[in-house]
Amino acid sequence: EIQLVESGGGLVQPGGSLRLSCAASGFIFRKHDMHWVRQSTGGGLEWVSAIGTAGDTFYPDSVKGRFTISRENAKNSLYLQMNSLRVEDTAVYYCVRSPVELVDWYFDLWGRGTLVSVSS
Amino acid sequence: DTQLTQSPSFLSASVGDRVIITCRASQGISSYLGWYQQKPGKAPNLLIYAASTLQSGVPSRFSGSGSGTEFTLTISSLQPEDFAIYYCQQLNSDPLTFGGGTKVDIK
């Protein structure tokens, strides 16, 4: 089955750290650009990070310097290291795939998400 | 950042209705726009990419149009399974951004 399964979410205090993992299966993971996208409780979607097939990484300013995306192709796994967490980082974090056949970053496969809550 | 404004934010419609959702970009984004559907408790699902290309497996009652700053998603005949929230996404400029969503509810 083609799927993405996230893990690692939880409750953390402001200033703390958390590492999210995503296990991919059913497709050739190393061929796809991968992303993390988050959704706040209010419903808004925000792209958080991307990693290309060559390991190049991309971030919006809101998380740059605090979050680090990485991948381990041998394990079909994607990661997100989140440091210096803020209350506004509270959201469901989705592991997301971009299609190989498109050059552009559309999102054609999503995981079920993992909830990150930042609160004291 | 490129802002995407969806309208309406909420609409109430009946099965069989034609539904049109608009997404306006704060600057021109050519045709670098996607549409997603999200049902309660589920992740978003890609419906349309490149403004008007239907993703594989998506019913033909869904269609997209537009370029530049104004885009539309049309559902030609609303079905019970189409009641959901719809989001647009631009990828013309960094960072990628999403619209605020349009909730389609049952009248």
Side-chain angles (χ1 to χ4, degrees):
Chain A
E1 182 183 1
I2 297 174
Q3 63 178 355
L4 299 166
V5 179
E6 303 93 338
S7 60
L11 176 63
V12 61
Q13 291 187 336
S17 297
L18 213 54
R19 188 192 195 212
L20 306 183
S21 299
C22 170
S25 59
F27 63 96
I28 304 174
F29 177 75
R30 59 180 172 80
K31 288 193 172 183
H32 292 263
D33 294 347
M34 298 296 297
H35 309 258
W36 290 95
V37 174
R38 67 187 179 187
Q39 186 166 35
S40 63
T41 51
L45 290 164
E46 182 183 12
W47 168 73
V48 171
S49 59
I51 186 166
T53 57
D56 41 336
T57 59
F58 306 85
Y59 307 91
D61 288 344
S62 58
V63 306
K64 196 174 293 182
R66 300 189 300 123
F67 290 11
T68 302
I69 188 173
S70 61
R71 67 191 300 163
E72 194 167 357
N73 290 336
K75 293 187 176 182
N76 292 329
S77 293
L78 181 73
Y79 307 99
L80 184 67
Q81 177 66 43
M82 303 185 294
N83 299 330
S84 303
L85 282 162
R86 305 168 180 168
V87 171
E88 55 265 35
D89 294 321
T90 295
V92 173
Y93 284 71
Y94 293 103
C95 173
V96 183
R97 182 187 81 173
S98 281
V100 170
E101 59 272 21
L102 298 178
V103 173
D104 306 308
W105 282 349
Y106 296 100
F107 305 138
D108 72 338
L109 180 66
W110 299 61
R112 290 188 173 186
T114 186
L115 177 62
V116 172
S117 296
V118 184
S119 174
S120 55
Chain B
D1 297 5
T2 300
Q3 310 299 323
L4 297 178
T5 303
Q6 290 184 232
S7 60
S9 300
F10 176 87
L11 73 87
S12 186
S14 301
V15 172
D17 284 353
R18 181 182 181 89
V19 169
I20 299 175
I21 298 168
T22 298
C23 178
R24 289 188 174 88
S26 60
Q27 57 188 285
I29 59 170
S30 186
S31 295
Y32 293 104
L33 188 102
W35 288 98
Y36 297 80
Q37 176 194 66
Q38 186 176 30
K39 297 182 180 180
K42 301 290 188 180
N45 180 52
L46 178 64
L47 299 176
I48 287 174
Y49 62 91
S52 60
T53 303
L54 203 63
Q55 171 70 346
S56 175
V58 174
S60 58
R61 63 181 179 273
F62 291 93
S63 64
S65 65
S67 67
T69 61
E70 187 152 336
F71 303 83
T72 59
L73 172 70
T74 300
I75 310 173
S76 60
S77 178
L78 198 66
Q79 297 302 299
E81 60 268 29
D82 301 336
F83 293 96
I85 301 176
Y86 294 85
Y87 295 93
C88 55
Q89 173 221 353
Q90 70 81 25
L91 47 150
N92 179 74
S93 61
D94 181 39
L96 309 181
T97 52
F98 291 86
T102 295
K103 184 175 183 180
V104 178
D105 209 348
I106 302 172
K107 183 182 285 185

